[in-house]
Amino acid sequence: MSASMPGLTVRWSLAEAPEGAETALAAYVEDTSHARFTGMEGLRFKTWRMRAGEWFEGCYVFADDAARDTFERQFTATAAESPGSQLVGSPPVLIEPCTIVAVAEGAAGFTAAPRY
């Protein structure tokens, strides 16, 4: 199988973020962002990752290049005003397309949830 699985990484630095930014970001994902991306056309899945005091990141995997390219173009145009940027106090430091090489589901299974 040689089908492409396009991805996109969007990362904000938390180095200069206001106190409480990590908590506010987790609450935003739980209350708003998770629902926005659940069932989104052209999106296979999204994960939100964070290292407290270092970075906050959205990792997207799309059905095809067109879906990724459209999302990347639309997001980039408003990235500085996005909710993540507002909560962090600065725009993303990285918006990077990539190719997902493989995905494995472990024996424990995959659990989609707005907050862990």
Side-chain angles (χ1 to χ4, degrees), residues 24-115:
L25 286 162
Y28 169 72
V29 170
E30 181 180 20
D31 297 340
T32 304
S33 190
H34 187 270
R36 175 180 175 221
F37 289 99
T38 297
M40 177 185 253
E41 189 68 33
L43 183 69
R44 290 190 185 276
F45 61 89
K46 177 181 180 181
T47 60
W48 293 262
R49 303 179 339 132
M50 181 168 26
R51 284 186 59 97
E54 294 183 30
W55 50 261
F56 175 76
E57 179 176 275
C59 299
Y60 305 79
V61 179
F62 293 92
D64 55 43
D65 288 335
R68 188 221 12 233
D69 295 347
T70 298
F71 180 83
E72 181 183 4
R73 192 169 41 257
Q74 291 171 345
F75 180 79
T76 299
T78 61
E81 295 82 35
S82 70
S85 296
Q86 296 299 311
L87 293 169
V88 170
S90 61
V93 295
L94 176 73
I95 301 174
E96 182 176 61
C98 61
T99 298
I100 306 304
V101 175
V103 175
E105 182 175 353
F110 178 79
T111 303
R115 194 163 187 177

